[in-house]
Amino acid sequence: MSAFLLLSLLTDVLPAAEAEAAPVSDEAQPVTIEAEPAVQEAQPVSNEVLPAVEEAQPVTNEVEPNAAEAPPVTNEVLPAVEEQSEGTDELPEDEVVPGEERQTSEITGLFVERPESAVAFKGKDITFVAKVDSTGMLRKPNIKWLKGKWMDLGSKAGKHLQFKETYDRNSKVYTYEMSIIKVVDSDAGGYRCEVTSKDKCDSWTFDVTVEAAEETQPTNILEAFKRTKPKKEGGEAGEDEGDLDFSVLLKKREVKVEEKEEVDVWAILAAAKPCDYEKIAFEYGITDLRGMLKRLKKMKKFEPKKSDAFLKKLDDLYSVEKGKRIQLCVEVADPNAQVKWLKNGQEIKPSAKYVFESVGNLRKLTINKCNLSDDAAYECVVGEEKCFTEIFVKEPPVTITKPLDDMHVVVGDKVEFEIEVSEEGANVIWMKDGVEITRDLTRYRIKKDGKTHMLVINEATKDDIGLFSVFTNGGHSESDLEVEDKELEVLQSIADLTVKAAEQAMFKCEVSDEKVTGKWFKDGVEVIASNRIKMTHTGRIHKLTIDDVKPEDAGDYTFVPDGYALSLSAKLNFLEIKIDYVPRQEPPKIHLDTTGSMVNKNTIIVVAGNKLRLDVEITGDPAPTVSWKKGDKEITEAEGRVRVETRKTLSSFVIEGAERSDEGRYTITVINPAGEDKAELTVKIVDVPDPPEHVKCTGVGEDTATIIWEAPKFDGGAPIKGYLMERKKKGSQRWTKLNFDIHESTTYEAKKMIEGTLYEMRVFAVNGIGISQPSATSKPFMPIAPTSEPTRLLVEDVTDTTCALKWRPPERLGAGGIDGYIIEWCKEGETEWVQANEQPVEKNSYRVRNLPVGEKLLFRVFAVNIAGRSPPATLQQAVTIREIMEHPKIRLPRQLRTKFIRRVGEKVNLVIPFQGKPRPSVSWSKDGQPLDPKVVNVRTSEVDTILFIRSSEREHSGKYTLTVQIENMEDKATVEIQIVDKPGPPMAVTVTDVWGFNAALEWQPPKDTGNCEILGYTIQKADLKTKEWFTVYEHNRRPSCTVSDLVMGNEYNFRIFSENLCGLSDEAAVSKNKAVIAKTGLIQKPPSYKEMDMSRSPKFITPLVDRCVIAGYSAAISCAVRGFPKPKIVWMKNKMIIGEDPKFIMQNNQGVLTLNIRKPSLFDGGKYTCKAINDLGEDEVECKLEVRVATEKVEERK
């Protein structure tokens, strides 16, 4: 009984000990889908083979000696020597993570608080915290949590590893946390926390040591004899129910590990031959051979490739401050090699900004005055090889050099906030009481002028009171704006008046604001305007005028401005005088003064803009009525620019700022009961003239230009005395006077100019009054000298009415170049030249037409540009206009002298030149018959003829004859065209004889040869079992052959293809009879075997894992399944089948199933299920996907 119990105990415990000796991390994935069960239990292997061997930590669980002999396997492939050299989970104090130096305890760089090394207990949770100060950063810092040298833990985020990020706006400190949930042995090792922010970087390393949790042994040995079955439902379990568990009584012994010298197994493997890999793996305890090979492949992949073109490549990155200069340098192997520099894939051209240098083997690129657009990726290309780098342009913070000042204004004033910054083009944000001011707010105008930035409020109101701030990325400034009500000042108050009956009373006051309106009151009652009472408001002056004052008008008058607690008062006193009236009448009379500004008796000349005041004395009793008229229109205005002021014995006609429209004939009329008088005046307005018009350049010389213009339309009322001229270079703002004495003509020749420079002109008109405004600027012109004469003038061809000339360009062109050429001709002995072309010709040849037949003519050619004509190039001898007879001749191209072959469907385009004078007649024929224009197209010019067939057919084959004829002279040429096609199949294929393993075939040539010679035949065979065709002979020329090496016991069919220039025939001729190869009596006994049944129901070997992802970042969930026949895969979300939704991409790679979710949102969270179904059954796995929003996005929304 005791032996049986001991055997059972060992049987239960040993597998558990083996499993405990080889723990597997949560992230381990199987390498193969189908593996032997025993291997999977004993040695589970991760599908991740990490390059850093040193990061792994050995497993030290105490197990039985037999179980301890099995090499422990973690989620990383480790050499056995390293596992044995470390006896405990805890690193010595003087030992550091390989590849990393021990850091001091001082806080460096960006960290305010750094993560510290810690001891974690297996199965417990642990959290590491890092804090970063972002006060001096322009952008949010990026943080990475790394294990070992380069394993980024951010991609491992999930149930086991969790990351958290928070931000404190007051202290501007970012807090980053990394939590390890339920620590396992594989979490031990060296870790690194790395933070970067544009041009700043800092990192810190810390260690994690994993220790097993302490277990207490039971004090009473009987308590160890526990039964494994649970209690029965609804009552207590019996004493004898359940199985006894003796595993607690087993003692755990420490594994004795021999200390050995550390060996770099990967260096040994890298230097060894592939045939020795298995031996080395066995020696050092590496059990995952496939993982080992993958890692060796990656190690070789990362080995730097030696460059044949570069001796020294570019650094990985460069950093330069904005506005500074940077130089990139490479060293090439070939001193004569040419290099290309590229920026973001685009080739850089040398310029003032990009300077290329080549000194020996060095090639340099210098970038001057770097700006933000130079922040890019650069390449240096030599032949097929490239090297890469990246330039980071540091932008210095923009500071405020001139801050804001507090402002104190009154309502309606203009407010201008102004600052100066350290950089032009800086981004500046204006705010009022913490709210950003945008250009959409029409009350505010934001202006930029270089480094000066302004915020303008045209009319300040009480609503503008507040705190105005301006921000740059390097500072800010504030200003308080206070707005007070505007006080109204009285510049002139109204005064008391004492007037007589029928006189005029005028109250007048002046206030400080032109826009202020008001009301007039008499004894507290508002005054209403009428024909006798008038109220006016001109600028800051307010008037109340009462004509023909009456006794009831007397009283207290008050003016009250609108919107102000202010009033101006005065009193009108009525003076009543009693006079004994003795009626006396005197006819009215106008006493006009004809001295002063009158040029003759009744004409007055006034300079525009000046003031005219004409005082006319009037007599008469009773006082006459005065009337002024311009033409038929009466002038009644007492105020304004043109007005009439009337007193008792004086009437004044006033024009303020005389204008042209005031010119004309004026009439003054006076009337009283005793009579009437009348006088006429003529007012003439004189002014400076209008500007001259249509200024243009009509001709230029080497340093001169002729300018003309038209006189002004209006001379200002005074004769034009002359003109003043100015010129400037195009693009310049500086005008230069050309004459100080008045130039009387409308044509002027400007001198002392620079050839090849564009100039502009303007003209001023001058009369007795003054100088006009400048004319419109002329079109730009350039002083240019004419070119030299054309060279090598020759006669190219002569006919009965035409002559073809050709020449070479002038030797000296000058700055103006050439616009064209002018050709002239004249009869020999005469001097009258006739221009042959109306517009200049640009080519260096021209055919002069419509010439007199039989005459001897001379020709000359001028070169023309903006400066005019050049000296002529003239023929030395006269040319007789008579056509020269030339025999017709066909110049047949060499390729057309033999048979011209084309395939069916190809185009035929034959160009055949010919010559002859006069122009010959051309005709084509085919096989002696004229060509059909619907079948063949023919186009003929003066020098060649073209035969064109768009899509050739066999019917186009034949002999084509070209005939060129002049009167009774002719020339002929024949072109033979052959249109070919694929041949038809051979005929009557027959197996004539069969002997041994041979068969004899014969056939007849094809009926359709494709219009060309048959080059051979292709013979193929096929046995009746496989029915697959195999080629036996190619290019067989005879219509017979013998096929050998046939297989005994098979029957064969044969087929034959014809072959010509176009290739094999589309169809093959099959033999009418078969060739049977007889057997020799051998009997085949097929072996009996039983096929293995591979069918199995689907089973997931890797389940789905719960995940937590960030919204907006694509995510994927995956699992692995096996089964035969291949199962159908169905993905479901919350038990709903995911159809053809473009947001989801479903992949199946050899049983590894992946569901990619493109940019998930909060609605994509939930429970995802993967179901596999085939004819033998189904299986499913599920996981929970949580989608959370990034912390910084939540804060931005707040």
Side-chain angles (χ1 to χ4, degrees):
M1 181 64 182
S2 59
F4 174 76
L5 288 175
L6 182 59
L7 182 59
S8 301
L9 185 60
L10 292 175
T11 304
D12 293 337
V13 172
L14 285 177
E18 291 176 0
E20 191 174 359
V24 181
S25 95
D26 293 345
E27 300 171 5
Q29 300 292 334
V31 174
T32 58
I33 296 176
E34 296 184 3
E36 292 298 327
V39 176
Q40 288 182 346
E41 291 180 11
Q43 298 175 357
V45 181
S46 167
N47 62 351
E48 290 186 29
V49 182
L50 299 179
V53 178
E54 297 87 347
E55 299 169 6
Q57 298 298 325
V59 180
T60 59
N61 294 334
E62 298 180 357
V63 297
E64 289 293 325
N66 294 335
E69 292 176 3
V73 180
T74 66
N75 62 341
E76 300 173 9
V77 179
L78 303 175
V81 173
E82 293 185 7
E83 297 171 1
Q84 296 174 0
S85 62
E86 300 179 9
T88 62
D89 291 340
E90 188 173 354
L91 290 171
E93 293 181 357
D94 58 346
E95 188 174 348
V96 298
V97 178
E100 300 289 340
E101 297 180 356
R102 175 72 68 186
Q103 297 182 347
T104 61
S105 59
E106 297 178 358
I107 299 178
T108 61
L110 306 175
F111 284 110
V112 176
E113 180 180 334
R114 63 189 185 282
E116 300 292 343
S117 299
V119 177
F121 292 98
K122 186 175 178 182
K124 303 295 183 180
D125 300 344
I126 189 169
T127 301
F128 298 92
V129 179
K131 293 185 179 180
V132 178
D133 185 7
S134 62
T135 303
M137 300 182 188
L138 299 177
R139 299 178 182 175
K140 175 188 172 184
N142 296 322
I143 193 164
K144 284 186 178 180
W145 295 90
L146 306 169
K147 182 177 181 183
K149 291 182 178 178
W150 46 63
M151 187 174 74
D152 189 357
L153 297 178
S155 60
K156 306 291 184 182
K159 189 175 180 181
H160 185 61
L161 283 174
Q162 297 180 0
F163 300 94
K164 184 179 179 183
E165 175 185 333
T166 57
Y167 176 65
D168 188 352
R169 291 184 178 273
N170 297 325
S171 61
K172 296 185 178 180
V173 172
Y174 285 89
T175 303
Y176 300 94
E177 297 181 3
M178 179 184 73
S179 300
I180 305 177
I181 309 302
K182 295 183 180 179
V183 175
V184 295
D185 291 331
S186 59
D187 293 327
Y191 289 78
R192 184 168 81 254
C193 179
E194 183 179 289
V195 62
T196 57
S197 176
K198 197 173 181 181
D199 54 350
K200 298 180 181 180
C201 181
D202 196 6
S203 64
W204 186 263
T205 60
F206 58 96
D207 300 329
V208 176
T209 305
V210 178
E211 293 185 356
E214 296 181 358
E215 296 183 3
T216 58
Q217 295 292 338
T219 55
N220 188 359
I221 192 170
L222 295 178
E223 294 180 0
F225 293 91
K226 296 180 179 178
R227 298 187 180 272
T228 57
K229 285 188 178 181
K231 296 179 181 181
K232 293 182 180 180
E233 296 181 1
E236 295 292 335
E239 295 181 359
D240 298 331
E241 293 184 5
D243 298 330
L244 291 175
D245 185 4
F246 297 95
S247 59
V248 183
L249 298 178
L250 291 176
K251 293 182 179 180
K252 296 181 181 180
R253 299 180 182 178
E254 295 183 356
V255 180
K256 296 180 180 180
V257 180
E258 297 180 2
E259 295 185 359
K260 293 185 179 181
E261 185 181 355
E262 292 187 0
V263 178
D264 189 353
V265 181
W266 299 108
I268 298 173
L269 287 168
K273 296 180 179 180
C275 60
D276 297 332
Y277 285 168
E278 188 175 358
K279 179 180 177 182
I280 297 172
F282 179 76
E283 180 179 352
Y284 290 101
I286 300 177
T287 57
D288 185 7
L289 297 180
R290 181 177 297 176
M292 179 190 73
L293 294 175
K294 285 184 179 179
R295 175 166 178 178
L296 286 174
K297 186 177 180 181
K298 286 185 178 180
M299 289 172 62
K300 293 180 180 179
K301 187 181 296 184
F302 289 112
E303 288 182 0
K305 183 180 178 182
K306 187 176 181 181
S307 174
D308 296 331
F310 293 97
L311 297 178
K312 180 183 177 183
K313 294 188 176 182
L314 295 170
D315 295 341
D316 291 338
L317 59 91
Y318 294 85
S319 178
V320 62
E321 293 185 1
K322 182 180 177 182
K324 300 295 184 180
R325 171 175 162 271
I326 190 172
Q327 189 175 74
L328 310 182
C329 181
V330 297
E331 185 175 357
V332 297
D334 183 4
N336 298 321
Q338 299 293 326
V339 303
K340 287 183 180 180
W341 295 93
L342 285 79
K343 173 184 175 182
N344 289 337
Q346 300 294 325
E347 185 175 356
I348 302 174
K349 302 296 182 182
S351 62
K353 183 176 181 64
Y354 300 101
V355 180
F356 296 172
E357 295 182 59
S358 177
V359 181
N361 291 58
L362 296 178
R363 301 294 184 269
K364 300 178 181 179
L365 168 63
T366 303
I367 306 175
N368 296 314
K369 296 182 180 179
C370 293
N371 51 40
L372 294 180
S373 63
D374 297 318
D375 191 305
Y378 291 80
E379 303 175 37
C380 181
V381 182
V382 179
E384 298 296 329
E385 292 196 31
K386 303 178 182 179
C387 60
F388 304 86
T389 189
E390 190 170 1
I391 293 181
F392 294 93
V393 179
K394 301 178 182 178
E395 185 178 9
V398 179
T399 58
I400 299 175
T401 57
K402 179 183 176 183
L404 294 173
D405 295 328
D406 291 340
M407 305 286 286
H408 186 220
V409 297
V410 296
V411 174
D413 283 358
K414 185 177 181 180
V415 181
E416 292 185 355
F417 295 101
E418 180 178 333
I419 64 165
E420 288 186 5
V421 296
S422 58
E423 293 287 338
E424 291 188 5
N427 187 21
V428 171
I429 298 176
W430 292 90
M431 303 184 76
K432 177 181 181 291
D433 296 330
V435 180
E436 183 177 356
I437 299 174
T438 62
R439 296 186 182 272
D440 298 336
L441 301 176
T442 55
R443 283 190 47 74
Y444 304 98
R445 287 191 301 120
I446 299 174
K447 297 167 59 178
K448 293 182 181 180
D449 185 11
K451 297 181 180 180
T452 302
H453 294 253
M454 299 177 65
L455 176 66
V456 181
I457 307 174
N458 289 328
E459 294 183 1
T461 64
K462 287 281 190 176
D463 296 336
D464 296 322
I465 298 175
L467 179 64
F468 287 80
S469 308
V470 60
F471 290 86
T472 66
N473 61 358
H476 75 283
S477 180
E478 296 179 347
S479 171
D480 281 321
L481 175 62
E482 295 182 7
V483 182
E484 294 183 356
D485 291 325
K486 188 174 182 180
E487 296 182 359
L488 188 67
E489 297 181 10
V490 179
L491 304 180
Q492 179 182 347
S493 182
I494 59 178
D496 295 342
L497 294 178
T498 302
V499 295
K500 301 176 184 178
E503 288 187 348
Q504 184 186 68
M506 180 185 294
F507 291 102
K508 178 181 176 182
C509 66
E510 185 177 359
V511 295
S512 59
D513 192 349
E514 295 181 356
K515 298 181 181 180
V516 171
T517 60
K519 296 179 181 179
W520 291 89
F521 295 87
K522 174 180 178 278
D523 298 329
V525 179
E526 185 177 354
V527 178
I528 305 301
S530 63
N531 294 333
R532 197 169 58 86
I533 300 174
K534 299 176 183 178
M535 291 172 286
T536 60
H537 173 201
T538 305
R540 297 180 297 184
I541 298 174
H542 298 261
K543 291 182 181 180
L544 173 63
T545 305
I546 305 174
D547 295 329
D548 190 15
V549 175
K550 298 179 180 180
E552 58 268 21
D553 293 330
D556 292 329
Y557 287 83
T558 305
F559 175 73
V560 179
D562 293 336
Y564 293 91
L566 176 69
S567 63
L568 306 177
S569 300
K571 189 171 184 179
L572 175 63
N573 299 313
F574 181 78
L575 179 63
E576 185 176 356
I577 302 175
K578 295 182 179 181
I579 301 175
D580 294 335
Y581 177 70
V582 179
R584 186 173 70 89
Q585 292 186 347
E586 180 182 349
K589 187 170 182 60
I590 300 172
H591 303 277
L592 190 64
D593 185 5
T594 58
T595 62
S597 59
M598 293 194 181
V599 294
N600 53 39
K601 185 175 180 180
N602 290 335
T603 302
I604 303 173
I605 297 178
V606 182
V607 178
N610 290 352
K611 179 179 180 180
L612 169 64
R613 184 180 182 91
L614 180 61
D615 294 329
V616 179
E617 185 179 355
I618 299 169
T619 60
D621 192 16
T625 302
V626 183
S627 173
W628 285 87
K629 291 185 180 179
K630 180 183 179 184
D632 297 332
K633 183 180 178 182
E634 185 175 357
I635 302 173
T636 60
E637 292 83 356
E639 293 185 0
R641 191 180 64 84
V642 180
R643 63 184 183 271
V644 176
E645 297 178 357
T646 304
R647 302 179 189 173
K648 187 173 182 181
T649 60
L650 189 69
S651 179
S652 300
F653 177 65
V654 181
I655 299 177
E656 297 278 0
E659 299 176 354
R660 291 184 189 176
S661 60
D662 298 327
E663 191 174 74
R665 183 177 294 275
Y666 292 83
T667 304
I668 178 173
T669 305
V670 292
I671 301 174
N672 73 353
E676 177 181 349
D677 195 7
K678 190 175 185 180
E680 291 186 351
L681 299 172
T682 300
V683 177
K684 186 176 181 181
I685 308 298
V686 294
D687 196 359
V688 295
D690 287 348
E693 298 180 343
H694 304 112
V695 180
K696 60 182 178 180
C697 174
T698 59
V700 294
E702 186 173 0
D703 61 348
T704 63
T706 301
I707 309 298
I708 65 172
W709 61 88
E710 296 179 4
K713 290 183 178 180
F714 177 66
D715 60 2
I720 300 294
K721 292 184 177 181
Y723 302 93
L724 298 175
M725 281 69 67
E726 291 184 351
R727 78 176 180 212
K728 72 176 182 70
K729 295 179 182 179
K730 185 179 179 182
S732 173
Q733 302 298 325
R734 180 182 178 186
W735 290 92
T736 304
K737 288 186 177 295
L738 299 183
N739 63 317
F740 293 93
D741 296 330
I742 295 176
H743 182 75
E744 297 182 356
S745 174
T746 58
T747 303
Y748 183 79
E749 184 179 8
K751 299 180 180 179
K752 296 182 180 180
M753 307 175 83
I754 302 173
E755 184 180 7
T757 303
L758 285 172
Y759 288 91
E760 295 175 337
M761 292 279 293
R762 68 181 183 184
V763 183
F764 299 83
V766 182
N767 66 2
I769 306 303
I771 302 174
S772 70
Q773 293 293 318
S775 67
T777 305
S778 68
K779 291 183 178 180
F781 60 89
M782 182 184 298
I784 296 172
T787 67
S788 61
E789 68 276 3
T791 58
R792 298 184 185 179
L793 177 61
L794 299 174
V795 177
E796 187 177 19
D797 186 26
V798 179
T799 66
D800 287 342
T801 58
T802 65
C803 179
L805 304 174
K806 66 178 182 179
W807 59 89
R808 299 289 296 165
E811 294 181 353
R812 182 179 60 82
L813 298 180
I818 294 180
D819 294 336
Y821 299 93
I822 297 293
I823 298 91
E824 294 182 347
W825 61 271
C826 77
K827 296 181 181 180
E828 188 179 24
E830 298 182 3
T831 58
E832 182 181 355
W833 290 89
V834 180
Q835 184 169 326
N837 54 323
E838 295 181 359
Q839 299 295 330
V841 295
E842 296 182 358
K843 296 183 179 180
N844 295 337
S845 62
Y846 185 75
R847 181 175 289 275
V848 184
R849 303 182 184 277
N850 302 323
L851 297 175
V853 181
E855 294 287 346
K856 290 186 177 181
L857 303 180
L858 291 173
F859 295 89
R860 66 183 183 183
V861 180
F862 298 88
V864 181
N865 65 4
I866 192 174
R869 294 186 177 187
S870 70
T874 308
L875 286 177
Q876 300 299 324
Q877 296 181 352
V879 179
T880 302
I881 306 303
R882 182 177 301 160
E883 189 165 26
I884 302 172
M885 183 69 70
E886 182 180 352
H887 288 273
K889 186 175 182 180
I890 299 173
R891 298 188 175 275
L892 192 65
R894 180 173 299 176
Q895 69 270 19
L896 299 181
R897 296 175 186 175
T898 58
K899 186 179 294 184
F900 186 78
I901 301 175
R902 284 289 183 270
R903 296 186 179 184
V904 171
E906 294 182 346
K907 67 179 181 179
V908 177
N909 190 13
L910 306 182
V911 181
I912 302 176
F914 58 82
Q915 64 186 32
K917 289 186 179 180
R919 180 179 176 180
S921 61
V922 179
S923 62
W924 283 88
S925 63
K926 177 188 175 186
D927 299 331
Q929 299 297 325
L931 287 180
D932 184 1
K934 296 181 180 179
V935 178
V936 180
N937 297 322
V938 175
R939 285 174 287 182
T940 303
S941 66
E942 294 182 357
V943 294
D944 58 23
T945 180
I946 300 174
L947 184 142
F948 180 73
I949 302 174
R950 189 175 301 277
S951 179
S952 58
E953 302 291 342
R954 286 198 194 179
E955 293 77 11
H956 295 139
S957 300
K959 294 184 178 180
Y960 292 79
T961 303
L962 171 64
T963 303
V964 179
Q965 186 174 2
I966 302 176
E967 296 179 356
N968 58 350
M969 299 177 292
E970 68 176 13
D971 190 15
K972 292 186 177 181
T974 301
V975 178
E976 185 176 356
I977 298 177
Q978 183 178 357
I979 308 301
V980 299
D981 197 0
K982 290 183 179 181
M987 299 189 303
V989 179
T990 308
V991 179
T992 57
D993 191 10
V994 177
W995 71 97
F997 302 105
N998 307 310
L1001 303 176
E1002 290 183 0
W1003 60 89
Q1004 297 296 325
K1007 186 177 181 181
D1008 180 10
T1009 63
N1011 201 25
C1012 63
E1013 181 185 0
I1014 297 296
L1015 300 179
Y1017 302 92
T1018 297
I1019 299 93
Q1020 294 182 347
K1021 67 178 180 179
D1023 62 82
L1024 296 184
K1025 292 180 180 179
T1026 62
K1027 295 183 180 181
E1028 294 182 3
W1029 293 96
F1030 297 94
T1031 301
V1032 180
Y1033 295 109
E1034 291 181 336
H1035 314 302
N1036 186 71
R1037 290 188 171 274
R1038 295 182 179 180
S1040 62
C1041 71
T1042 300
V1043 180
S1044 303
D1045 298 329
L1046 300 177
V1047 178
M1048 180 178 58
N1050 287 353
E1051 293 184 18
Y1052 289 91
N1053 273 341
F1054 301 91
R1055 67 180 183 184
I1056 302 175
F1057 294 88
S1058 305
E1059 184 179 5
N1060 65 1
L1061 288 175
C1062 296
L1064 298 177
S1065 60
D1066 293 330
E1067 298 179 357
V1070 182
S1071 60
K1072 296 181 179 179
N1073 52 347
K1074 299 178 177 59
V1076 180
I1077 309 301
K1079 297 182 180 180
T1080 57
L1082 297 177
I1083 301 174
Q1084 180 186 8
K1085 294 182 178 180
S1088 59
Y1089 61 90
K1090 184 179 180 181
E1091 294 185 358
M1092 182 178 178
D1093 186 9
M1094 300 297 293
S1095 300
R1096 64 179 65 184
S1097 62
K1099 183 178 180 182
F1100 283 93
I1101 58 176
T1102 302
L1104 293 173
V1105 179
D1106 294 344
R1107 287 203 61 186
C1108 180
V1109 299
I1110 304 298
Y1113 295 87
S1114 297
I1117 56 176
S1118 60
C1119 58
V1121 69
R1122 64 182 177 188
F1124 189 84
K1126 185 177 179 180
K1128 176 184 177 183
I1129 305 302
V1130 178
W1131 286 92
M1132 294 182 290
K1133 174 189 172 186
N1134 296 330
K1135 300 301 181 181
M1136 299 294 291
I1137 296 177
I1138 300 174
E1140 298 297 329
D1141 190 342
K1143 189 178 186 69
F1144 299 94
I1145 300 175
M1146 291 166 275
Q1147 296 175 337
N1148 185 349
N1149 183 13
Q1150 300 294 327
V1152 178
L1153 311 177
T1154 304
L1155 177 65
N1156 293 285
I1157 306 172
R1158 182 177 176 272
K1159 295 184 178 180
S1161 63
L1162 295 177
F1163 300 102
D1164 294 319
K1167 184 175 292 186
Y1168 285 80
T1169 305
C1170 180
K1171 181 181 289 187
I1173 306 170
N1174 68 4
D1175 296 339
L1176 301 178
E1178 64 180 41
D1179 193 10
E1180 69 177 30
V1181 290
E1182 61 183 22
C1183 71
K1184 184 178 180 183
L1185 180 68
E1186 180 183 353
V1187 181
R1188 61 185 178 89
V1189 180
T1191 305
E1192 61 271 17
K1193 292 185 178 180
V1194 176
E1195 293 177 354
E1196 289 176 3
R1197 292 176 182 174
K1198 292 181 179 179

